[in-house]
Amino acid sequence: MSEVSETTPQPPHAPHLGGPAPHPGPPHPGPPLLATPVPGPPAPQPAGPGFPQPVAPPATPVQQPVPVPHPPAADHPTAPQPQPLTPQPPAPQTPTPQTAAPQPATEAPRTLQYRFDGPEDAPVLVIGPSLGTTWHMWDRQIPELAQHWRVFRYDLPGHGGAPAHAAPSVAELADRLIATLDGLGVQRFGYAGCSIGGAVGADLALRHPHRVASLALVASSPRFGTADEFRQRGVIVRTNGLEPMARTAPERWFTPGFAAAQPAIVEWAVQMVRTTDPGCYIAACEALAAFDIRDHLGRIGVPTLVLVGAEDQVTGPAEARTLVAGIPDARLALVPGASHLAPVEQPAAVCDLLLTHFSTAWQDAPTAAPATPLVPGPATPAAPFAPLAEIAPAPDAPEAVGPQRESRHERGVKVRREVLGDAHVDAVNASADPFTEDFQELVTRYEWGEAWSRDGLDRRTRSCVTLTALVASGHLEGLAAHTRAALRNGLTPAEIKEVLLQTAVYCGIPAAGAAFTIAQSVIQEETTPPA
């Protein structure tokens, strides 16, 4: 039995491969995955000690009302519907599930768009998507998984037509997921997530360990690249829209051989990104830029499968091994012939690994210890294959350390890196010597730990003030770094132009002219999409 939240758009009568047909409803902007699957090994039936026995779906599904808090329909914008990728036979009509009354609009940002598949009395398995995708990236695992679990899938804010209430951090996404599950009465669940969906799962295991029974981190990392990379991606989207990200998504997500053999899936991937809300995409980039749990992996206390495509160039085997080395009860599974979206590229192999993991590594007893808060911080093989699994030794878990008040220096280092970027700060630190290091310490504490850390102005406004002050004082040597910072703080090139035009009036034409030359070079460098 499948069930969707009241405001959830769905594909029009397009059946899932081997699974139940979606319920009739408004179109889902992220199209279902309908292209021909890549062969893989058959998935074994799960079995193992300590896990509730799988429950087969009833022969005739019984629809029952479920008390669900929903955002109102007026609060739910719908993006254009891409055409189905391949012709499909008509699916049998299925009764629409009953739902509770919509929740007030004021509560809408606290929940996520979701759907259920599978028997109502089975254990709940939550599945999270990657950045720029919808819950349809998991379509080809659902027929098997829904035979044994009550599968809960969700969309990120602004993805798949979900309400565009941007979430500024991974912790905020996790909090909205918990609020959604609380409203459904789901207290304990297994969790599998891809990329940013994996980051959400790791955050849940750290801050809500009593809720997570078992964990699978797919194409994930304790830190995703560098903060500079994701903040620059946000600058590109803010300036050019999502088309550059959509155009380059296939090369980030799939191996070249798969992309050449599956043009319909490539187009599906591009359309998913195109129909995402740009503001929510930028917020997710900021969330990934700030995400760093490398010092907290030892506190993840649930059985964890770390699954990665062997050819993943985004979060590859090296990042996966870092997770396995840090999480006490973790196992590594490498999937040959797969890149970042391994569930799409090798669906049978990924399904096999998830079935085995969640059938044999499910903790029935909740974790007794309370959570401590986090410190911020080439071609596809033609023949079937058996997934490879490596088990890394688990080091002794470090003791959990409670939160401590940040010193001005620590706060300054954090804000300086967030505003100016890691590359700039690393270069400054590398050039420091005994003569200049005390000055850099003063700058970090006073400029960044004090002035830039105050709550009275937001960072966009502080960037406007800083650009003006640099032009007025003639200190143009700092203008390039602060133009780059202004872009990452949310100013658009048009807004920076207006700031410099204002300085021309009050600071003089020559100073503003020199500033325009410097700013123009930085803006071209920062906002030019990748080739």
Side-chain angles (χ1 to χ4, degrees), residues 372-440:
T372 54
L374 281 176
V375 178
T380 305
F385 57 86
L388 303 180
E390 303 177 17
I391 301 178
D396 294 334
E399 295 182 3
V401 179
Q404 297 179 354
R405 183 183 179 87
E406 285 184 311
S407 68
R408 280 181 294 181
H409 179 267
E410 292 170 334
R411 184 169 64 246
V413 168
K414 178 175 178 290
V415 174
R416 192 178 191 182
R417 287 186 175 277
E418 290 174 352
V419 174
L420 294 180
D422 288 333
H424 177 89
V425 176
D426 289 343
V428 169
N429 290 342
S431 64
D433 58 24
F435 183 73
T436 61
E437 62 184 4
D438 288 343
F439 173 72
Q440 290 302 326

Side-chain angles (χ1 to χ4, degrees), residues 4-11 24-30 69-81 102-109 111-115 134-136 153-165 275-277 280:
V4 297
S5 61
E6 185 168 280
T7 58
T8 300
Q10 289 299 303
H28 193 296
H70 303 291
D75 212 28
H76 187 186
T78 301
Q81 165 68 16
Q103 68 175 13
T106 55
E107 296 184 18
T111 57
L112 298 173
Q113 176 171 284
Y114 69 91
R115 72 168 288 150
T134 73
W135 64 43
H136 286 301
R153 286 182 284 172
Y154 66 90
D155 276 328
L156 298 169
H159 291 59
H165 300 297
T275 55
T276 298
D277 176 77
C280 290

Side-chain angles (χ1 to χ4, degrees), residues 167-174 283 286-288 290:
S169 67
V170 170
E172 171 66 17
L173 287 171
E286 290 291 332
L288 287 173

Side-chain angles (χ1 to χ4, degrees), residues 203-433:
D203 182 84
L204 291 172
L206 286 166
R207 296 194 297 126
H208 304 278
H210 57 291
R211 305 291 292 270
V212 181
S214 189
L215 181 64
L217 304 177
V218 180
S220 196
S221 176
R223 186 191 187 196
F224 290 80
T226 67
D228 288 355
E229 293 171 8
F230 281 100
R231 293 197 172 102
Q232 183 173 15
R233 188 186 295 189
V235 169
I236 290 173
V237 173
R238 191 177 291 113
T239 307
N240 303 279
L242 278 166
E243 185 58 30
M245 297 300 109
R247 189 178 65 250
T248 57
E251 65 189 56
R252 294 194 306 270
W253 289 352
F254 307 124
T255 59
F258 179 88
Q262 297 285 355
I265 293 183
V266 169
E267 178 59 23
W268 161 84
V270 168
Q271 287 297 92
M272 274 196 302
V273 180
R274 281 177 178 156
T275 55
T276 298
D277 176 77
C280 290
Y281 188 98
I282 293 170
C285 289
E286 290 291 332
L288 287 173
F291 182 78
D292 187 353
I293 59 169
R294 289 173 294 178
D295 294 337
H296 306 280
L297 293 177
R299 294 199 293 109
I300 295 179
V302 296
T304 302
L305 172 69
V306 179
L307 190 156
V308 63
E311 299 179 46
D312 189 344
Q313 301 299 312
V314 181
T315 51
E319 287 82 357
R321 289 189 173 94
T322 300
L323 287 168
V324 171
I327 299 173
D329 185 7
R331 288 168 174 77
L332 173 63
L334 293 175
V335 180
S339 186
H340 193 58
L341 287 195
V344 175
E345 196 162 5
Q346 296 294 351
V350 171
C351 191
D352 176 15
L353 290 163
L354 293 180
L355 282 166
T356 302
H357 172 69
F358 285 109
S359 300
T360 59
W362 189 285
Q363 289 184 345
D364 290 326
T367 303
T372 54
L374 281 176
V375 178
T380 305
F385 57 86
L388 303 180
E390 303 177 17
I391 301 178
D396 294 334
E399 295 182 3
V401 179
Q404 297 179 354
R405 183 183 179 87
E406 285 184 311
S407 68
R408 280 181 294 181
H409 179 267
E410 292 170 334
R411 184 169 64 246
V413 168
K414 178 175 178 290
V415 174
R416 192 178 191 182
R417 287 186 175 277
E418 290 174 352
V419 174
L420 294 180
D422 288 333
H424 177 89
V425 176
D426 289 343
V428 169
N429 290 342
S431 64
D433 58 24

